[in-house]
Amino acid sequence: MSQPFYITTPIYYVNAEPHLGHAYTTIVADVASRFHRLAGDEVRFQTGTDEHGDKIAQAAQERGVTPQQYADQISGKFRHLWPELHITNDKFIRTTDADHKQVVTSILQKVYDAGDIYFAKYGGHYCVGCERFLTEHEMEGGKCPDHGTVPVYQEEENYFFRMSNYTEQLKAHIEAHPDFIRPERYKNEVLSMLEQGLEDLCISRPKTRLTWGIDLPFDPNYVTYVWFDALINYLTGLGWPDGDNMAKFWPGAQHLIAKDILKPHAIFWPTMLMSLARAEGRPAQDYLYQHLNVHGYWNVDQAKMSKSLGNVVRPLELAEIYGVEAFRYFVMREMSFGLDSSFSEQLLVERYNSDLANDLGNLFSRVLNMLHKYRGGVVPQPGPEQPQDAELAKLAEAVLAEYRRENERFSFHKALASVWSLIGAANKYVVVSEPWTLDKDPALAPRLDRVLHDLCQLLAKVAVMIRPVMPLTAEKMAGVLGLGSIEPGMLALLEKGQALLAPGSQTHQPPALFPRIDTKKVQAKAAKAEQKADTKPAPKAAAEPTEISIEQFGQVKLKVATVLTAERIPKADKILKLTLDAGEDEPRTVVAGVAQHYAPEELVGLQVVIVANLKPAKLRGITSQGMVLAAVGPDGLCVVSPSKPTPVGSQVR
Ligand code: MSP
């Protein structure tokens, strides 16, 4: 029996509603849990919400409610979303739960008693978005690279955790366990942070500034720093210190996060655990988690997903249109675990049609339809094996091995690609075997039996392997094949070479698993939505050609920018996609309606004037971050440009 598997997601802040990023991490944890259950392992899967700290206190204040009321409301949204996405977590933890407060308090006291916490004065650059002090080295141009904001310099007396004492021990552990942090790029990132040396960690906030937190047991004038509180949730959920689940699940603990919170999980957390072990006189090994699995970021149409850009992807909206199963498949297949990925609905539709409707859906319906047509739906006794049958069986065996390996190391996209290589091979096998020709000659009946039998067995294997990602589809397939339900541990049966379907068993008529999506309809719908947005009556004030005040004009931020790239957009003959240097941290993407007046190359290098604070809008699937000014001349549009070269980012008044 292998080690029980404990998987956690980050506990999400309750200052924003759940979006694609949160859904992705939680779906990955769900797929990993379902995979391990399928492999016969004991599994515990925990998610939850992180509810203390500045960020939440601020968000509640802005809405005129108490932090607790606010936390209850948003935490509820996360909790209710997960079943809708077919997430099977065993525990949903909240940092405002009474048992969690108790655990944080006892751990703080232990670490304090062991001498790893001291009181001192400190000044540093605090980023509220990250809820932590940034080192000079981490800031870029004086700003937080993740949030683009200038951290606030804070100086006050606080309690500190002696994190720096554990630098060498952590380095040694990472070097001795090369897959402690994976994929490797993140391990290297952490090692280079350790090379630069660690500072001690400020773990308190004075109540004069923040009361929304867990009291320090050794000083009632302070509350606990939100990360020290939050990370401990992973232990609380198992009933630390001596709950049954602690002994069973902690040795196989794996955390799942995105790259944004690498430092707290790869440095704060293991050093906290080392200190706790030291305080209890136990080896660090007893407390260190097994793996930290780190994935990349979902961007949307190449831009960072953010409320201010108006491009936040809501998972339920997509699940409602395309189905939860297709949505889960898409995110798992599309993102190479560890790297960033760009989301677009177009891509989702393309994958749906090619992988689900064409490859899997077609294979399933054509095999079952032939079985019903030629053998009354009964799985036949196979005739003698021929080389192409053996080849397909060999491939299925190799895929099964690859499937386990890649799932275990969190390379889910590779595991799926491998299953789809088998589906592709099976579709080819149908074409080459020509069951419709075999059926015409009674002498070839044993051959037809063999082909149909092997295809049914293969479909049963596919159903088992896709179950972690698409549980309902897998069960539907299993039901039609007469397999019954796919039980925990069934993967192990397949690996032992056990056939899942007995010859003579009756199958059912296949439903269409994934009806094709008409891409033209999707495009037409998107175009209609765009048109509607374009022709929406302008707000009243703008429609009236009245004078405006200088203050009103001042609200429009006009800036000089230089065109870096210009490209046509397929099937859109009026607009061009431009990237502009407007003197900001990152180039801006702007869609300009000048394609009938300029060739793209005429614009590259040209200085233009943009409306820089226009609300972003989506045009042909591209998020346009502003507008390029153009004069409407008798011969068409003429882009407005400063008469002399002007530094990018200059204001236009
Ligand atoms: N509360 C902390 C975590 C404490 S864990 C002890 C926190 N919360 S968060 O709400 O900001 O969640 C961050 C996590 O949400 C990321 O690590 C990732 O799992 C998920 N994602 C949020 N946006 C994302 C993307 N755009 N892309 C992929 N995942 C992202 O940090």
Side-chain angles (χ1 to χ4, degrees), residues 562-569 575-580 590 592 594 598-606:
T562 299
V563 180
L564 300 173
T565 64
E567 56 185 285
R568 293 195 187 281
I569 298 166
I575 51 181
L576 293 180
K577 178 181 168 191
L578 310 181
T579 50
L580 306 173
V590 169
V594 296
Y598 288 86
E601 52 279 14
E602 282 180 274
L603 291 175
V604 175
L606 189 72

Side-chain angles (χ1 to χ4, degrees), residues 560-561 606-609 639-647 650 652:
V560 174
L606 189 72
Q607 289 215 298
V608 295
V609 175
V639 169
V640 173
S641 185
S643 57
K644 284 194 237 160
T646 312
S650 302
V652 177

Side-chain angles (χ1 to χ4, degrees), residues 330-380:
F330 172 76
V331 292
M332 295 304 296
R333 176 67 187 87
E334 187 63 25
M335 182 174 258
S336 298
F337 192 88
L339 301 178
D340 290 351
S341 222
S342 188
F343 176 86
S344 89
E345 217 168 317
Q346 187 73 26
L347 271 179
L348 194 163
V349 171
E350 280 166 18
R351 270 218 182 273
Y352 177 105
N353 279 341
S354 74
D355 299 8
L356 299 179
N358 275 4
D359 298 344
L360 175 62
N362 271 352
L363 178 70
F364 186 66
S365 61
R366 79 205 287 206
V367 169
L368 278 141
N369 285 331
M370 289 189 298
L371 187 69
H372 280 267
K373 192 166 166 199
Y374 305 139
R375 295 292 181 263
V378 175
V379 179

Side-chain angles (χ1 to χ4, degrees), residues 9-16 19-26 48-51 55 78 95 129-131 147 226-227 229-234 256-262 264-265 269 295-300 304-305 335 340-341:
T9 72
I11 47 171
Y12 304 111
Y13 287 130
V14 290
N15 66 334
H19 60 54
L20 173 67
H22 308 115
Y24 173 71
T25 312
T26 317
T49 43
D50 187 358
E51 307 185 4
K55 246 186 176 32
F78 279 94
T95 51
C130 296
E131 288 277 23
H147 295 94
V226 64
W227 271 107
D229 157 358
L231 288 159
I232 289 175
N233 91 84
Y234 301 135
L256 172 67
I257 57 165
K259 62 182 188 181
D260 55 335
I261 49 177
L262 179 63
H265 281 83
W269 184 223
H295 66 76
Y297 242 50
W298 279 100
N299 297 319
V300 175
K304 194 169 172 175
M305 189 166 36
M335 182 174 258
D340 290 351
S341 222

